[in-house]
Amino acid sequence: METNDSRSDSDYAEETLTFDQVGELSGDVLLEFGAPWCGHCQAAKSAITEVVAEHPGLRHIKIYDGKGKRLGRGFRVKLWPTLILLRDGKEVDRLVRPLRPAEVRELMSKGS
């Protein structure tokens, strides 16, 4: 799993956190569930990258999701990419298949 403090990485990593461990994360964290081959994920990449860069210190964790992936199932992820904004391990809000930076900014504003 890739954890980035102020930038977005292009790779989705295999999940290494459990649902319980995610619940113990402190501060604001953006979980991004998707897959590197997903066309919707590729279309959303620039919007997500732009907004993440505007939030220094934000933990952005990109998680490879798919059949049998427990973390995605624990968050009831059905479509990719799904962004879930957490504050101190609790879900604040989520956004599915964003295309514009304004959509991602709206999600991030709910964490402030």
Side-chain angles (χ1 to χ4, degrees):
M1 171 176 30
E2 190 69 34
T3 303
N4 302 305
D5 290 331
S6 64
R7 62 180 177 81
S8 179
D9 193 270
S10 61
D11 296 327
Y12 289 95
E14 293 291 332
E15 57 190 50
T16 57
L17 289 174
T18 66
F19 190 76
D20 290 336
Q21 289 170 322
V22 168
E24 296 170 2
L25 294 172
S26 63
D28 287 349
V29 177
L30 183 65
L31 299 181
E32 178 182 342
F33 290 90
W37 48 263
C38 167
H40 294 286
C41 300
Q42 293 167 5
K45 181 181 175 183
S46 64
I48 296 167
T49 301
E50 180 178 323
V51 176
V52 166
E54 296 169 1
H55 295 272
L58 173 71
R59 289 185 68 190
H60 177 208
I61 304 173
K62 296 179 74 169
I63 302 163
Y64 180 69
D65 192 37
K67 187 174 183 176
K69 301 288 186 180
R70 290 183 179 177
L71 193 55
R73 302 300 68 80
F75 278 101
R76 300 175 316 281
V77 171
K78 295 187 190 278
L79 298 171
W80 301 325
T82 293
L83 302 177
I84 300 178
L85 180 62
L86 304 175
R87 168 159 291 136
D88 296 327
K90 305 263 191 271
E91 183 174 338
V92 174
D93 205 355
R94 67 175 58 203
L95 178 61
V96 178
R97 292 190 174 167
L99 290 175
R100 297 181 314 278
E103 295 172 292
V104 182
R105 281 188 191 97
E106 169 126 2
L107 172 68
M108 296 307 301
S109 72
K110 295 178 180 180
S112 301

